[in-house]
Amino acid sequence: MKIFTLILVTLFAFSLVYADNVEFRVNMKIKALKGTFNPTTGTVNVRGSLNGWGETAMSDGDNDSIYTVTVDIPATTAVEFKFHYNPGDNWENVANRQYTVPGGGGSYEDYFDKDSFYVPTYSITVNFSCNMELERLSGRFDPNTDGVSVNGSFNGWASMTTILTANPLNPDIYEGSATVLKAVGENIEFKYWYQDNNWESVSNRVYVFTQTDADAGEVFLEHAFNDGTLETVLNQPCTVKFKVYMTGAKSAFSGNPFPMVNTVHIAGSALPLKWPGGGWPDGDITNVIQLFDDGTNGDETAADGWYSKDTVFPSYTILAVQFKYGANWGDVVNNEGGNDNEAGFAQNHNLNFTRYMTQVTVSDTFGKMGNSVLSNAKYAYTFNVDMSIKALKGIFDPTADLVYVRGGFNGWGTGNPMTDADDDSVYTATLDVAAGTFEFKFMFQDISLATEVWESNPNRSITNVDGGSFTDFFDRDDCPPTVAKNVDLVFSCNMELERLSGRFNPSTHVVSVNGNFNGWSPMTTVMTPNPLNPDIYEAVFPRMSMLCDVIEFKFWYQ
């Protein structure tokens, strides 16, 4: 039996001390006890909006495991920050800390990672596996040139530190491992990444270690990049018009309106959008896309305060994309403190695609984060019409005639010809169709007669919500031609109730069956009483007929 010793270290109280500045204090004792921090070689710092997320060194002058630093911060300023230590670029594995400086200054105290309990740690090898198939199919990931890594709290979120390599049996599967020192119940956060600077769009992945992991000394984690399946990605390209309103926009750094807006750029989590490096350095301008307010590049109206750009996202893009705008990239005079100036660290806009979306307008207001307003959406809808029966009957010539789908979604025009790429007689067209209900028909151009041949049936109808497909035979005719045979059509009609009502007099009235087979003529196909039951009137009409021929008829009497 293993005996575990639990040492509870009392968390020192949060306190506010009014002074001329702010003292940050972090207790590293538990990290040292767990062997993840070495006080003789490690350095500790605080990083956040108070210093542009750079490193402000902290010190432990009395060797009590509490590292401190005093920073001048204006009163009432709200700051976000984390504690951090080297070597290894180790960030806290907690949400950003938040602190509003009181009047006169103050202090902030806590344990690193908010971890005030000591439990034994174990050396555990974490084996990572990431399926890159959809990223490769999308064209975003090139296995010949792009490196793959897993980045997380265990390696300082450093790219290409824990490198993944292709499995020789399935080169779409990338694998690698890292050894961590963790206690049962502790976790790691991580994401997969590939060059250059393409992060997963999902939330940080989290794995909590169990006693089974500790006993085994290893764990296997398998994922697909972005958790991608055909159910969770775009099934075709989608053109997005990004629009952001910049009139009166304020900087997240200064809280002041920009003196002027010279340029607007967008960055994000899925190609063609990319994230710049930490702090959005000027040199990463190639990672962002410029928007315009001059009537070009998809911008509708020049100088109206709306900056726009049409951008195409390829097939297999994840459905949830995070992104952010920045004003005056590299313009120190006007960017009011930096390029990442729309909102606080890790605050983003959200674009939520649907599987079949092919076109959408995304409208945002600079600084108003969260789900974007989507409009003018269209979706891929696939129409299929089977022309095989018409071809067999000699009505349609597949070598010459042209097939179309025409309806309310395309103004009943001929701008959408259908094709039969695999020569299976099924003609197909995939169109960008807005949401709603539309009527349509299939038609073909008979080249030999120079005429348009429309379906003879009533208009068809679809309701498009998020894409889909429609398949049927032309004219709803699924019956192949057959050799005509002489078929006796045997009719039988019970006249009992008509006789009992007094309307029908069998001694004077004649009964007949009239239909499209005899020109709807009364008294042509005359019916006579059955000798065994004189209320039953019968008639036989011989007719040359083929499979699926249709007759219409009614019974009649004088």
Side-chain angles (χ1 to χ4, degrees), residues 542-556:
R543 181 179 186 272
M544 294 299 292
S545 303
M546 293 187 299
L547 183 66
C548 296
D549 276 357
V550 177
I551 61 169
E552 295 181 359
F553 63 96
K554 283 187 177 182
F555 297 106
W556 175 97

Side-chain angles (χ1 to χ4, degrees), residues 453-464:
V453 181
W454 288 82
E455 293 187 283
S456 59
N457 296 310
N459 287 354
R460 302 176 182 273
S461 178
I462 61 165
T463 298
N464 185 27

